[in-house]
Structure formats: structure tokens, C-alpha cells
């Protein structure tokens, strides 16, 4: 069950704050401008850290998907190797039979 979302106008316009002036030493609230600048720097550092984490997560997900692809290819190659081994066994048996039959045939020709 989902709740209906209120209209955007129901909340009203977002509050606007005047930008701090560079020449003023204190804002209207009584806090020094340096505290606002420090908070802004902390926000920028937090944003930078969040972006770095997002990039790291995206990189890890990409590497994981690449690894899955490699594992699938590894399984396919393993199946191809097994099929090649079976073919080699069949061909080896065939060659052994041909060699044995040719030796037997050569021996019978010498007896005549």
C-alpha cells in the first residue's frame, strides 16, 4: 500500500538565505563567517568522501562482473578441454587399432 505524495505546492517555496558577505565578521545569527566556511569545507569533504566511496563501489561492482565473466569463460574452456581429451583418447585408440591391424596384416603377408 503506497501513500499519496503531497503536491509540491503544499510545502511552499524553499527558504532562501542570503549569501554571507566576505567583509562581515559575523552573520545575522551571531556565528562567525569562519564557522560557516568551516562547515562548508566539511560539507565539501563529506561530499568528496561520498563521491570517492561511490566510485569505489562502482569499480568493485565492475570488477565483480568482470570476474563472473572470466569464471564463466573458464568453465567453458574447461568443458572444451575435457571434450578435447575425450577426442584424443578416441583417436589414440583408433591409431593403436590401425597400427595393430597393419602389423598383423604385414605378418600374414610375410607368411605367404
Amino acid at each position: 500500500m503506497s501513500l499519496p505524495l503531497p503536491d509540491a505546492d503544499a510545502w511552499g517555496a524553499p527558504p532562501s538565505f542570503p549569501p554571507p558577505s566576505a567583509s562581515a565578521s559575523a552573520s545575522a545569527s551571531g556565528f562567525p563567517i569562519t564557522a560557516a566556511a568551516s562547515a562548508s569545507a566539511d560539507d565539501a569533504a563529506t561530499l568528496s568522501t561520498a563521491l570517492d566511496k561511490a566510485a569505489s563501489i562502482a569499480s568493485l561492482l565492475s570488477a565483480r562482473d568482470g570476474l563472473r565473466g572470466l569464471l564463466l569463460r573458464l568453465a567453458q574452456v574447461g568443458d572444451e578441454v575435457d571434450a578435447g581429451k575425450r577426442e584424443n583418447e578416441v583417436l589414440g585408440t583408433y591409431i593403436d587399432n590401425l597400427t595393430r591391424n597393419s602389423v598383423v596384416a604385414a605378418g600374414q603377408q610375410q607368411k605367404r
Side-chain angles (χ1 to χ4, degrees):
M1 177 177 169
S2 64
L3 298 174
L5 295 176
D7 294 334
D9 295 334
W11 293 99
S16 62
F17 298 101
S21 65
S23 62
S25 63
S27 68
S29 64
F31 291 109
I33 296 296
T34 56
S38 175
S40 177
D42 289 343
D43 290 344
T46 302
L47 178 62
S48 175
T49 302
L51 291 174
D52 289 344
K53 286 180 181 179
S56 295
I57 289 170
S59 176
L60 286 172
L61 292 176
S62 176
R64 181 189 66 185
D65 292 342
L67 182 58
R68 282 183 181 161
L70 287 173
L71 289 173
L72 287 174
R73 181 65 183 136
L74 182 64
Q76 290 172 348
V77 169
D79 292 342
E80 291 172 10
V81 166
D82 291 341
K85 285 180 180 180
R86 286 190 300 273
E87 288 176 9
N88 284 345
E89 288 174 6
V90 169
L91 290 173
T93 303
Y94 178 72
I95 290 171
D96 289 342
N97 289 340
L98 284 177
T99 306
R100 189 175 310 120
N101 290 339
S102 64
V103 169
V104 170
Q108 288 178 355
Q109 287 178 356
Q110 288 177 354
K111 290 182 184 179
R112 291 184 189 174

